[in-house]
Amino acid sequence: MGSSIYDFGDRPGVRDMGHDEVAQIAGGNKNGVGKSIMQKQRWILPVLLAMCTVVVSCGRARAPDAVFLIVVDTLRPDRLSAYGYRAHETPHIDRLAERGVRFVHAQSPASWTVPSMGAMLTSFYPTQIGLIERQNVSMVAIGWQQRRQQQAYTLQLVETTLAEHMQRAGFRTAAFVDQPFLSFRAGFLQGFDDWYYPVGRVTIRKHDTSEPIPAEPDTAPLVDAYRSDSLLIHEFDAWLAQNEDEKIFVWLHLLTPHRPYLPPERYLPDSDEVPGPGERYDAEIRSVDDMIGDITRIIRSRVGFARTMIVFTSDHGEGFGEHGMVEHGHTLHSEVVRVPLVVVAPTLSRGVVEVAVSTIDVLPTILDVTGVGVPPGLEGRSLVSVIGGEPREGLLFSEGMLYGSTERSLTAHGYKFMWDQQAPSRLYDARADRDEVNDIAQTHRAWTNKLEGMLAVLHNRLAQDFTVRQNAAEPVDSLAMQRDEERVLKSLKSLGYIND
Ligand SMILES: [Zn+2]
């Protein structure tokens, strides 16, 4: 391990795009993971070596059949001690990382929850699945309700989700989701047998997806993320007790440490000074670290680790003024799109991977490791080969804004190019300037132009793909969506997305 996506390609001059690079941008990964790797003869030896590494490290382990996708909303990796943070310890997340593979450079394909999670749960970019801002009008400017009626932030039924893949393979599926954007009425329930969500301050409700969607609107937004996350974990424990002998797939989505940063008192610094936003955010992270400890204890006692796969990640990071902005949803700079990623499975070796990857790789990785099988045509690729030490060619792409003008970013050839509809493009050295401090677009015009061209080709393909999918899509249940409006609106107001 130790190779990086940024290491491929020559830097002294601009070279033409290679065949594989053109194919990936223009045609996607249409051949699926296995074939695309074997097309490159020079990869065969590393692939075989990687396979050996995995086999040697895993012994007689069988494919896991208890899979847990744990997403901690708004979690910056550089605030975790596993990722080198020194201001505090996050021991439970550290232990999880030691148990599996920690990806040093993982990136979200979007700057906020809905496009990010839509992409993670389908392995397609936000533009392809329609979870994207349109016509450069922000959600806040024209109103959440109107945007919902445009179905801009609804995962269409035509998409096949990770849960659907698992369900079809015989897994019992359950979601425990504490995030008002990821409403089960907004298409995210596809493929789940059971859906648990918080209502009010003390109630966790279960929706049995074999039943019609309930008619009554939910009320009383829940802003105490620590409390609702804890309640969801309690329900998760009870659900697991009922289903521990089954093949299971669980998505746990915790809202801590999303703003408004209201951690329990005991997690705040013992100081007379009023803690600032960064300190409160850190305190929330310490609280969610304890919750990760609870979750892993529950998994160990109910299922054990011999048949368990855990993917731990986030949907995006959080800004604290690094580029003049706070929170998320308005920029694709590293503080917002970098996420932690840890993969634990008995069939995988442990360690640290420096290859840059995207969370759109989560779906094919789970389908690969569990033996369910990776369908062709996904944008993401299984991470099994890079875990085994294989270098990877490719690019990183992010898009999907909640506020401000449309932005897109492309990382390739060791550079990160950022395109902004209303501002000059920027270019950063993706290896030497990971915090994106020095814009070198003007001094590296050739690379700026090259990546701009690559980005345009890629985005055109994604937009065309969306048109094809839209023509195949069935309309969503708009009546059910309207019933959900009140609860979602209240929750979004309480989280500060919308003003009265
Ligand atoms: Zn989020």
Side-chain angles (χ1 to χ4, degrees):
M1 297 184 200
S3 54
S4 165
I5 187 176
Y6 304 127
D7 291 340
F8 83 90
D10 297 319
R11 286 282 291 273
V14 180
R15 69 172 172 81
D16 293 333
M17 281 187 242
H19 168 78
D20 296 325
E21 190 179 334
V22 172
Q24 189 185 358
I25 294 171
N29 186 21
K30 297 296 183 193
N31 298 312
V33 172
K35 192 173 176 186
S36 70
I37 289 171
M38 297 310 288
Q39 281 171 337
K40 305 172 183 129
Q41 288 195 355
R42 61 201 166 99
W43 295 125
I44 290 178
L45 183 59
V47 166
L48 291 175
L49 289 171
M51 290 169 68
C52 293
T53 305
V54 171
V55 170
V56 166
S57 66
C58 63
R60 292 184 299 277
R62 66 189 171 105
D65 64 0
V67 181
F68 303 90
L69 172 61
I70 304 170
V71 182
V72 173
D73 211 289
T74 322
L75 182 59
R76 281 178 69 140
D78 59 356
R79 298 301 184 99
L80 303 173
S81 46
Y83 280 81
Y85 196 48
R86 292 290 163 258
H88 67 191
E89 297 279 311
T90 46
H92 300 294
I93 294 170
D94 289 6
R95 216 161 294 147
L96 192 63
E98 288 164 9
R99 190 178 281 281
V101 184
R102 178 173 64 87
F103 288 84
V104 178
H105 306 295
Q107 181 169 312
S108 166
S111 71
W112 67 287
T113 307
V114 174
S116 171
M117 290 311 300
M120 191 193 300
L121 297 176
T122 61
S123 196
F124 291 104
Y125 290 111
T127 284
Q128 286 170 293
I129 55 177
L131 296 179
I132 199 77
E133 75 281 2
R134 295 181 195 156
Q135 299 164 345
N136 192 32
V137 180
S138 82
M139 183 187 77
V140 175
I142 70 167
W144 169 251
Q145 200 149 356
Q146 194 178 344
R147 292 300 295 260
R148 292 271 292 184
Q149 285 165 358
Q150 292 178 343
Q151 301 177 5
Y153 295 126
T154 297
L155 193 57
Q156 301 295 304
L157 299 178
V158 71
E159 304 302 341
T160 303
T161 65
L162 174 56
E164 286 177 305
H165 286 294
M166 301 303 279
Q167 195 177 47
R168 289 170 188 172
F171 285 71
R172 182 156 188 87
T173 56
F176 300 81
V177 177
D178 188 6
Q179 177 33 292
F181 272 127
L182 302 172
S183 160
F184 64 85
R185 293 183 175 91
F188 285 89
L189 87 170
Q190 296 177 56
F192 285 106
D193 296 309
D194 301 311
W195 184 282
Y196 291 81
Y197 60 107
V199 181
R201 288 185 58 79
V202 292
T203 307
I204 300 297
R205 195 169 286 174
K206 174 188 172 185
H207 172 52
D208 179 343
T209 57
S210 64
E211 300 289 325
I213 289 177
E216 78 277 11
D218 304 319
T219 55
L222 215 163
V223 296
D224 187 343
Y226 178 81
R227 184 178 177 81
S228 52
D229 285 344
S230 302
L231 290 169
L232 273 175
I233 292 168
H234 182 76
E235 293 295 330
F236 162 67
D237 187 18
W239 183 91
L240 205 51
Q242 297 288 318
N243 296 281
E244 60 191 34
D245 296 327
E246 309 269 328
K247 291 168 65 176
I248 49 177
F249 168 69
V250 175
W251 171 30
L252 270 158
H253 193 108
L254 306 181
L255 191 55
T256 311
H258 194 290
R259 65 181 180 183
Y261 314 144
L262 296 172
E265 201 71 25
R266 64 183 183 279
Y267 290 103
L268 287 167
D270 188 13
S271 166
D272 292 335
E273 292 179 25
V274 176
E279 289 170 302
R280 302 184 76 85
Y281 176 74
D282 278 1
E284 291 237 334
I285 289 175
R286 291 191 287 278
S287 77
V288 86
D289 182 67
D290 278 347
M291 288 191 260
I292 296 302
D294 292 340
I295 292 167
T296 49
R297 264 192 302 277
I298 290 166
I299 292 171
R300 186 176 58 217
S301 65
R302 300 257 179 235
V303 184
F305 287 116
R307 52 177 283 239
T308 291
M309 177 180 192
I310 298 174
V311 175
F312 171 82
T313 188
S314 181
D315 54 347
H316 51 77
E318 187 82 326
F320 289 93
E322 291 86 344
H323 292 90
M325 307 286 260
V326 295
E327 298 161 1
H328 56 271
H330 38 54
T331 177
L332 298 173
H333 277 297
S334 58
E335 64 271 18
V336 171
V337 294
R338 280 192 67 204
V339 291
L341 178 61
V342 170
V343 180
V344 182
T347 49
L348 298 176
S349 52
R350 301 180 182 193
V352 176
V353 171
E354 302 215 7
V355 175
V357 300
S358 169
T359 52
I360 63 165
D361 298 327
V362 164
L363 181 150
T365 303
I366 289 176
L367 298 183
D368 191 6
V369 171
T370 54
V372 170
V374 184
L378 304 175
E379 294 297 329
R381 291 178 284 172
S382 169
L383 297 171
V384 169
S385 55
V386 292
I387 289 171
E390 186 201 335
R392 174 189 272 199
E393 282 196 35
L395 48 83
L396 290 179
F397 174 66
S398 291
E399 59 175 349
M401 313 301 291
L402 182 55
Y403 309 111
S405 64
T406 299
E407 286 185 35
R408 299 177 193 121
S409 79
L410 182 77
T411 305
H413 300 292
Y415 295 103
K416 178 172 176 179
F417 172 77
M418 299 181 71
W419 177 87
D420 187 321
Q421 194 174 39
Q422 295 182 345
S425 298
R426 286 152 284 164
L427 188 76
Y428 299 94
D429 187 318
R431 286 174 295 201
D433 184 18
R434 292 190 186 279
D435 293 334
E436 297 156 12
V437 175
N438 298 310
D439 176 8
I440 54 174
Q442 294 306 318
T443 56
H444 292 61
R445 286 309 312 172
W447 282 108
T448 303
N449 293 339
K450 178 179 170 67
L451 267 67
E452 184 166 25
M454 290 171 66
L455 180 60
V457 171
L458 173 63
H459 188 259
N460 274 344
R461 174 173 70 78
L462 302 181
Q464 286 171 11
D465 195 23
F466 171 66
T467 304
V468 171
R469 288 159 180 275
Q470 200 174 33
N471 290 337
E474 301 166 33
V476 298
D477 185 346
S478 57
L479 184 62
M481 281 168 53
Q482 279 176 18
R483 291 183 191 128
D484 202 30
E485 284 303 322
E486 189 178 350
R487 184 182 76 89
V488 172
L489 270 172
K490 285 183 177 176
S491 295
L492 293 176
K493 281 177 184 169
S494 72
L495 292 169
Y497 283 107
I498 299 175
N499 297 320
D500 287 317

